[in-house]
């Protein structure tokens, strides 16, 4: 029995934030594209690299779903992530935020488009300035 788009999106989000290890090839198409305020990814390897960076940057990660639904070929998730910033957070080749040990809370929304039961593109929206303020202790 195949998984619903909601289940695939939930697993993908858990992998993206470092809450659970997963084989991304079971969730994303080879040509997946993704966007968030901090990163644009293209291809399965880039998604796997992103998940690995999150596993290094955060510990004690918990993701809670406030809403999870699917309509047509799309799935939508409204979520809240809580985590401790215990490792370097790589934002770009030139920007790395050193571990602060601070507890972070981040609400957001992800929209995913599917092809053949896997995510072919996704967009994740969150308040990146609020997250930076939490990391900086502002």
């Amino acid at each position: 029995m195949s998984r619903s788009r909601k289940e695939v999106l939930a697993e993908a989000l858990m992998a993206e934030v470092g809450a659970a290890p997963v084989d991304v090839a079971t969730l994303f198409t080879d040509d997946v594209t993704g966007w968030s305020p901090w990163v644009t990814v293209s291809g399965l390897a880039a998604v796997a690299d992103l998940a690995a960076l999150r596993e290094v940057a955060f510990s004690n990660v918990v993701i809670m779903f406030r809403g999870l639904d699917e309509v047509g070929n799309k799935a939508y998730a409204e979520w809240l992530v809580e985590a401790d910033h215990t490792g370097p957070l790589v934002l770009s080749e030139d920007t790395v935020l050193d571990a602060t040990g601070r507890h972070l809370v981040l609400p957001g929304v992800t929209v995913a488009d599917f092809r053949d039961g896997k995510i072919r593109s996704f967009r994740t929206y969150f308040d990146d300035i609020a997250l930076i303020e939490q990391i900086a202790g502002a």
Side-chain angles (χ1 to χ4, degrees), residues 50-112:
L50 178 63
L53 289 173
R54 299 299 185 254
E55 287 178 13
V56 170
F58 302 111
S59 61
N60 303 315
V61 179
V62 176
I63 185 167
M64 295 164 278
F65 293 100
R66 294 176 164 174
L68 191 56
D69 205 356
E70 58 184 87
V71 177
N73 206 35
K74 294 183 186 302
Y76 307 86
E78 181 181 3
W79 45 261
L80 178 74
V81 171
E82 292 192 34
D84 297 326
H85 179 216
T86 53
L89 177 59
V90 178
L91 301 180
S92 71
E93 288 181 15
D94 302 327
T95 308
V96 177
L97 302 176
D98 292 327
T100 62
R102 290 190 176 92
H103 185 73
L104 310 174
V105 178
L106 180 67
V109 172
T110 299
V111 179

Side-chain angles (χ1 to χ4, degrees), residues 3-48:
R3 295 174 294 174
S4 72
R5 287 181 288 284
K6 293 188 302 188
E7 291 169 322
V8 172
L9 179 55
E11 285 183 51
L13 288 167
M14 288 187 281
E16 183 182 349
V17 298
V22 69
D23 177 5
V24 294
T26 65
L27 304 172
F28 299 93
T29 62
D30 290 341
D31 61 345
V32 62
T33 59
W35 175 91
S36 82
W38 283 358
V39 69
T40 299
V41 293
S42 182
L44 197 53
V47 170

Side-chain angles (χ1 to χ4, degrees), residues 8-9 12 27-29 32 112-114 117-122:
V8 172
L9 179 55
L27 304 172
F28 299 93
T29 62
V32 62
D113 297 298
F114 283 74
K118 295 182 180 181
I119 298 170
R120 68 175 172 88
S121 68
F122 63 92

